[in-house]
């Protein structure tokens, strides 16, 4: 059975699968990244995990995986196959595609985690059938994936879709990016958690608690929630003015509140649009499997591309004969 390896690397854990030609998840596995042991250890864990998946495919299905897809956080140079920077993992300029190609001997695609998740949502999830979509997960921060005709736009330098750093409150809360008033400082799950913990005096309160309090009619919770919704609507209207998407797909932890989020958000966006066409605003469909499914799609795209598929790391990557993880993660 032809299959590909899909790996989705997060800050603390990894999700992986063997994916068949029909998109079926044939085998699933999880593993900690081991980031407490340092960036070199994370790279070795990824390579070892992929090798185990490769061996399992041979044993279970009688043939090796045809390709592999890898989704990672941070700044990703997808064309060169390099994880340029990831604060949570301590990476700088890690040639992951070259390292994984060397280890497995099959073609490898490297993608940004949010764009990869957006690719899956666009092709087989909530955006299926939409020629233009914007995927916005509301988690610890806020990112975005711009979908165009079945692909996701990375931009000239790999920064496309960073809607979380659109300034919606000029001069507002300082953001680690260096700006003040960024969207993710007001409308991410972590921002709502901080605001609700401060409003209620409970340092352990989080965004889910705030959503429950909104349902019960707590006026402080309603205020905190509406401030987040208004900021999110401002950011989304900026995005739809620039991109004119047919569908806005909202995911991440905050979207788990369901209609507690979506009803006021749709109303807030509707009040703000003038000449713009109002897109459909829908919840993401794939949950935490989106990144893994998207990595599988990246791998399958390598196989479906016209012409021969590269199995060498490419001329811009570190020479695999001299590459060691301990030498590339400083």
């Amino acid at each position: 059975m032809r299959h590909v390896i899909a790996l989705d690397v997060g800050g603390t854990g990894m999700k992986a699968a063997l994916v068949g030609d029909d998109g079926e998840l044939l085998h699933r596995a999880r593993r900690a990244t081991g980031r407490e042991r340092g960036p070199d250890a994370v790279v070795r864990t990824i390579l070892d995990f992929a090798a185990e998946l490769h061996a399992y495919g041979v044993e279970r299905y009688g043939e090796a995986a045809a390709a592999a897809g890898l989704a990672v956080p941070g700044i990703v140079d997808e064309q060169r196959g390099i994880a340029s920077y990831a604060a949570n993992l301590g990476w700088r300029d890690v040639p992951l595609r070259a390292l994984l190609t060397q280890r497995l001997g099959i073609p490898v695609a490297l993608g940004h985690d949010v764009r990869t998740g957006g690719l899956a949502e666009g092709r087989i999830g909530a955006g299926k059938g939409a020629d233009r979509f914007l995927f916005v997960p509301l988690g610890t921060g806020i990112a975005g994936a711009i979908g165009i005709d079945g692909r996701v736009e990375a931009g000239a330098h790999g920064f496309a879709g960073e809607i979380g750093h659109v300034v919606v409150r000029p001069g507002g809360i300082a953001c680690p990016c260096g700006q003040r008033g960024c969207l993710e400082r007001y409308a991410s799950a972590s921002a709502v958690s901080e605001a609700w913990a401060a409003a209620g005096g409970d340092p352990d309160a989080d965004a889910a608690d705030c959503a429950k309090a909104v349902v019960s009619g707590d006026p402080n919770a309603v205020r905190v929630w509406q401030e987040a919704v208004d900021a999110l609507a401002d950011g989304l209207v900026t995005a739809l003015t620039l991109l004119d998407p047919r569908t806005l797909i909202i995911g991440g932890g905050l979207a788990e509140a369901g209609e507690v989020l979506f009803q006021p958000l749709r109303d807030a966006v509707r009040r703000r649009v003038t000449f713009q066409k109002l897109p459909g605003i829908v919840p993401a469909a794939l949950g935490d499997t989106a990144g893994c499914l998207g990595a599988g799609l990246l791998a399958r795209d390598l196989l479906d591309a016209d012409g021969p598929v590269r199995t060498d790391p490419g001329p811009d990557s570190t020479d695999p004969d001299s590459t060691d993880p301990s030498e590339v993660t400083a």
Side-chain angles (χ1 to χ4, degrees):
M1 178 182 294
R2 192 173 84 151
H3 61 277
V4 297
I5 295 169
L7 271 166
D8 178 22
V9 179
T12 59
M14 295 184 287
K15 295 181 285 289
L18 298 182
V19 186
D21 271 351
D22 59 356
E24 181 185 359
L25 297 178
L26 304 172
H27 171 70
R28 303 189 203 190
R30 291 177 182 253
R31 181 164 298 181
T33 60
R35 68 175 181 174
E36 68 280 357
R37 300 194 305 274
D40 300 343
V42 176
V43 174
R44 286 192 292 270
T45 299
I46 292 170
L47 299 179
D48 290 345
F49 195 19
E52 290 175 19
L53 292 163
H54 188 269
Y56 179 88
V58 173
E59 179 182 351
R60 178 69 177 81
Y61 302 110
E63 63 178 287
L70 175 62
V72 299
I75 299 171
V76 182
D77 185 336
E78 297 173 358
Q79 291 298 315
R80 298 175 62 216
I82 293 174
S84 301
Y85 177 72
N88 288 341
L89 297 173
W91 284 348
R92 281 191 182 276
D93 297 325
V94 183
L96 280 175
R97 186 175 66 197
L99 293 169
L100 201 53
T101 298
Q102 177 192 10
R103 185 66 177 268
L104 302 180
I106 59 177
V108 174
L110 179 69
H112 180 272
D113 57 352
V114 172
R115 289 196 291 268
T116 301
L119 179 69
E121 284 289 353
R123 286 197 197 171
I124 60 177
K128 185 176 181 179
D131 55 346
R132 300 287 192 279
F133 70 87
L134 178 64
F135 170 58
V136 182
L138 310 174
T140 303
I142 299 178
I146 303 166
I148 304 172
D149 291 333
R151 64 180 181 84
V152 172
E153 174 59 45
H157 306 96
F159 297 151
E162 290 291 348
I163 186 176
H165 297 290
V166 169
V167 173
V168 294
R169 300 292 181 264
I173 301 170
C175 181
C177 79
Q179 301 184 117
R180 302 187 73 90
C182 288
L183 175 60
E184 70 174 39
R185 299 302 298 132
Y186 296 88
S188 63
S190 59
V192 174
S193 295
E194 290 174 14
W196 178 232
D202 179 0
D204 297 323
D206 61 14
D209 297 322
C210 186
K212 292 174 185 176
V214 169
V215 174
S216 68
D218 184 304
N220 279 334
V222 171
R223 174 183 57 79
V224 168
W225 196 259
Q226 192 60 51
E227 287 175 356
V229 167
D230 286 340
L232 181 57
D234 288 340
L236 291 177
V237 169
T238 297
L240 69 89
T241 302
L242 290 170
L243 302 173
D244 189 26
R246 199 170 305 278
T247 306
L248 284 173
I249 305 168
I250 310 298
L254 210 60
E256 294 176 5
E259 287 304 303
V260 176
L261 174 67
F262 283 93
Q263 181 176 338
L265 179 60
R266 292 183 184 112
D267 291 342
V269 171
R270 186 177 297 110
R271 289 194 302 269
R272 285 162 171 76
V273 298
T274 54
F275 66 90
Q276 305 95 332
K277 292 294 185 181
L278 189 67
I281 302 177
V282 300
L286 302 177
D288 69 354
T289 65
C292 202
L293 288 166
L297 290 173
L298 290 178
R300 288 165 59 195
D301 283 352
L302 287 178
L303 302 176
D304 294 340
D306 292 335
V309 176
R310 295 191 71 101
T311 56
D312 64 281
D316 293 326
S317 301
T318 303
D319 180 358
D321 293 332
S322 60
T323 298
D324 183 274
S326 64
E327 298 173 351
V328 296
T329 58

